[in-house]
Amino acid sequence: MAIKILLVEDNETQLKFLEEGLVQCGFEVETAQNGSEAYRKLYSTAPDIVVSDIVMPAIDGYQLCRIIKNVDETKKIPVILLTILDNKIDSFWGKKAGAQLFLSKLIDINELATNINATVRRYPITDEYKNALIQKDGADNSAQFRLNFILNDLLMKSTFSNEFRNLSDFLNYERILVEKMFSLLSSFVEYHVAGIYFASPDDFAENILYIDTLGRNLPKSLLSDVNYDFFRKMEEHKTMKTSKFEVVRMLLGKELECEFGDLTSKIIIPLIFDKKLIGGICFYTRQEIDYSSFRYFDIMISELLAIFKMKYQYTEKEFMSVLDGLTGLYNRRQLEISLEQEFNRTKRHPSDFSLAILDIDFFKKVNDNYGHQYGDYVLKTVADLMKQAFRKTDLLYRYGGEELVMIMPETNIEGATIPVQRLRRMVEEYNFDYNGVKAKVTVSIGLTMNYPIFNSSADLLKSADEALYKAKESGRNRVILHE
């Protein structure tokens, strides 16, 4: 059976020339002299391929191609665009419109026939598809109607995307960003409760679900259930040590009577980038809604993913600037900042906090005997053991060389002795093994707390250093408390 071509050309002479040449090459040819006529004939003729000029009045070749590719019953029909335009931008728009090929009108008729045959072989149309298309003949197949619909759809998608992209101005201001996101989402998504969560590259950071209730006063028990339900889903992608929720938009006053079971429809969407959880969103409502059927759902998720990715990368950059690259602990600069803040805080609001300095015993011998790579392995392993031995609220630092520091808020020296001794035993009992070389390592630790005699954070640090010196002088592998 001959390949059926729908040939579209507004110049009658050129149309006749191409039609005769293609018929001689063995094709069945239907013709149209403008985009509107061509679109109607798609339904009455069900061609195997469309070959169209680009420069035509009213509806040009680009627009005809975009109409064909945006309608389910015609989008599988391959399109070849013919033109005298030869700029790269013309070819670019041809491809963006969905055309399979973009050819010069000066092409030899035999070469054109070869390209048509190759294109039809690559994009074949089944008889079932053609029959379904012909059955649609007689319906409202106005090209102008379809074009207006497509242009309006493109405008709405562009506007929709731009609204999300404008949020990037607030990446540095998380609370404002959250409020702006809720304001935008609530303008087109139906919900009673919505949540936004930004994951952090810092495993010790607090996981917060920001909640929007659209100004409704909902019971705290319901919001707690939403928080639990949401983070249970997030735990499929990342271990959550702690989590809490914070209501962003809720008025004070009488509560709306509503329980978690009343929220009949929900969707929880983890946002993943590079195999890492970078955040998530959720919507809950008392109405029966299939959120995934929302017209611009995919665009919404794509734009949210872009915003969350930028937010995560910004947070990661800030986080990495305060981390020691080898151990993953906070660096010395951050220790100085945190220690000063904690010292001043406990002066304003009296409370205890303890500080310990750890030194790996005979670390120079480890490096000399086994090499610096082994030393790095030991240092990183001790840092990992620290993370296991201390609470999430404790702050861990690399002070310099083989010295590591622990700040324990709301903890007196007696309470601090427990995790510090635990860490000492963990290191002592650990079997260090790197590249088949086994070794035993111990640590010495000096411990102090914010006694009233200290006038500055430097005094506190000095007292822990003095206690560490005594631990090393008195035999190592021990914890010495500041006297």
Side-chain angles (χ1 to χ4, degrees):
M1 184 180 293
I3 292 173
K4 185 185 291 185
I5 300 171
L6 177 58
L7 179 63
V8 191
E9 169 62 63
D10 66 318
N11 184 291
E12 195 168 339
T13 302
Q14 183 70 16
L15 178 65
K16 191 71 174 173
F17 169 76
L18 288 171
E19 180 185 8
E20 290 176 353
L22 292 172
V23 168
Q24 288 178 9
C25 291
F27 298 108
E28 180 183 344
V29 181
E30 295 284 344
T31 62
Q33 290 187 272
N34 57 64
S36 294
E37 181 186 2
Y39 187 70
R40 286 195 303 272
K41 282 197 171 183
L42 282 174
Y43 291 88
S44 61
T45 63
D48 295 291
I49 189 167
V50 174
V51 179
S52 175
D53 183 21
I54 288 181
V55 182
M56 296 185 295
I59 295 175
D60 64 22
Y62 292 137
Q63 294 168 335
L64 174 61
C65 186
R66 188 170 286 279
I67 294 171
I68 292 171
K69 297 302 180 181
N70 278 269
V71 178
D72 286 340
E73 58 259 30
T74 61
K75 66 183 180 181
K76 292 185 179 181
I77 300 173
V79 177
I80 293 179
L81 294 178
L82 299 179
T83 184
I84 57 173
L85 305 174
D86 59 358
N87 292 325
K88 284 189 174 181
I89 190 66
D90 301 311
S91 177
F92 172 81
W93 281 118
K95 292 174 182 175
K96 286 298 178 182
Q100 272 65 41
L101 280 179
F102 185 87
L103 301 175
S104 169
K105 291 180 79 171
L106 302 177
I107 190 172
D108 178 79
I109 196 71
N110 291 316
E111 188 177 348
L112 175 58
T114 299
N115 279 282
I116 291 172
N117 280 313
T119 304
V120 171
R121 282 196 301 270
R122 188 174 181 184
Y123 303 97
I125 303 298
T126 65
D127 290 338
E128 290 80 9
Y129 193 81
K130 291 182 181 181
N131 291 334
L133 185 59
I134 290 173
Q135 288 174 12
K136 295 275 187 176
D137 188 29
D140 185 4
N141 296 321
S142 163
Q144 192 61 55
F145 171 80
R146 293 287 190 182
L147 181 59
N148 289 341
F149 176 83
I150 291 166
L151 292 176
N152 288 334
D153 189 59
L154 289 172
L155 178 61
M156 289 179 69
K157 287 178 179 177
S158 174
T159 303
F160 194 67
S161 296
N162 286 336
E163 289 291 327
F164 278 102
R165 290 169 192 179
N166 290 337
L167 296 174
S168 62
D169 294 339
F170 306 100
L171 290 177
N172 299 356
Y173 312 98
E174 186 168 298
R175 181 63 183 241
I176 298 175
L177 175 62
V178 167
E179 291 176 355
K180 295 285 185 183
M181 289 181 75
F182 278 139
S183 178
L184 175 57
L185 290 168
S186 63
S187 67
F188 59 83
V189 180
E190 295 286 347
Y191 62 81
H192 281 81
V193 181
I196 293 172
Y197 159 65
F198 296 111
S200 171
D202 183 359
D203 289 336
F204 289 90
E206 199 164 33
N207 297 299
I208 302 173
L209 177 64
Y210 294 101
I211 289 180
D212 178 27
T213 65
L214 298 172
R216 303 183 185 94
N217 301 307
L218 299 179
K220 190 173 181 180
S221 59
L222 181 146
L223 301 180
S224 296
D225 288 341
V226 167
N227 184 70
Y228 174 78
D229 190 47
F230 175 83
F231 280 111
R232 187 174 58 179
K233 180 70 174 177
M234 295 300 108
E235 284 175 348
E236 296 176 10
H237 305 276
K238 178 184 177 183
T239 302
M240 297 288 167
K241 294 183 175 68
T242 61
S243 64
K244 70 173 188 177
F245 66 86
E246 181 178 326
V247 181
V248 175
R249 301 196 299 178
M250 186 167 74
L251 301 176
L252 296 176
K254 186 178 178 181
E255 284 188 351
L256 178 68
E257 293 184 6
C258 184
E259 297 181 359
F260 185 68
D262 297 331
L263 301 175
T264 55
S265 297
K266 73 174 181 179
I267 186 168
I268 301 175
I269 307 168
L271 295 170
I272 310 293
F273 173 72
D274 197 22
K275 298 182 180 179
K276 290 185 293 190
L277 179 71
I278 60 175
I281 62 168
C282 61
F283 301 108
Y284 295 79
T285 182
R286 301 170 78 172
Q287 305 167 14
E288 290 286 347
I289 293 177
D290 178 8
Y291 281 108
S292 61
S293 66
F294 167 57
R295 185 175 172 187
Y296 298 114
F297 184 81
D298 291 341
I299 297 176
M300 179 186 76
I301 298 302
S302 176
E303 295 297 337
L304 283 171
L305 185 63
I307 290 291
F308 275 71
K309 176 184 170 184
M310 287 189 285
K311 177 72 169 65
Y312 187 87
Q313 290 175 332
Y314 174 80
T315 305
E316 190 173 46
K317 182 179 178 182
E318 293 290 303
F319 177 58
M320 295 305 292
S321 70
V322 300
L323 280 190
D324 172 64
L326 174 63
T327 62
L329 306 179
Y330 293 117
N331 58 26
R332 179 169 183 156
R333 175 175 171 274
Q334 190 62 24
L335 167 64
E336 293 168 353
I337 295 171
S338 300
L339 184 57
E340 184 71 17
Q341 289 175 339
E342 188 67 12
F343 188 85
N344 291 335
R345 183 186 70 80
T346 55
K347 286 293 184 183
R348 292 193 304 271
H349 309 285
S351 62
D352 296 331
F353 83 93
S354 296
L355 180 142
I357 299 181
L358 172 154
D359 184 272
I360 299 174
D361 295 331
F362 304 112
F363 189 68
K364 185 176 183 303
K365 288 185 177 180
V366 172
N367 281 327
D368 291 344
N369 292 339
Y370 308 122
H372 287 279
Q373 284 188 336
Y374 201 100
D376 288 347
Y377 155 71
V378 168
L379 190 55
K380 187 177 187 315
T381 302
V382 172
D384 291 341
L385 293 173
M386 283 175 66
K387 295 172 186 177
Q388 298 174 34
F390 287 84
R391 302 169 300 182
K392 181 179 173 61
T393 52
D394 297 328
L395 303 171
L396 312 176
Y397 306 84
R398 184 180 182 186
Y399 188 38
E402 69 273 24
E403 288 188 334
L404 309 176
V405 172
M406 297 132 272
I407 294 177
M408 293 158 275
E410 306 297 330
T411 308
N412 60 25
I413 199 164
E414 289 80 11
T417 302
I418 297 171
V420 169
Q421 286 284 15
R422 181 192 304 131
L423 172 62
R424 183 195 64 76
R425 289 192 300 272
M426 288 172 69
V427 175
E428 181 184 24
E429 295 168 2
Y430 192 86
N431 295 313
F432 291 84
D433 187 343
Y434 182 75
N435 284 343
V437 178
K438 298 180 180 180
K440 298 297 287 185
V441 174
T442 60
V443 295
S444 300
I445 304 173
L447 179 61
T448 189
M449 67 173 284
N450 59 331
Y451 294 111
I453 59 170
F454 297 135
N455 296 314
S456 68
S457 59
D459 291 342
L460 182 67
L461 194 60
K462 182 181 177 182
S463 73
D465 204 36
E466 290 173 351
L468 172 63
Y469 179 78
K470 291 180 180 179
K472 294 166 73 173
E473 286 294 300
S474 59
R476 291 182 168 81
N477 189 25
R478 63 195 62 207
V479 177
I480 294 294
L481 280 58
H482 168 82
E483 294 180 0

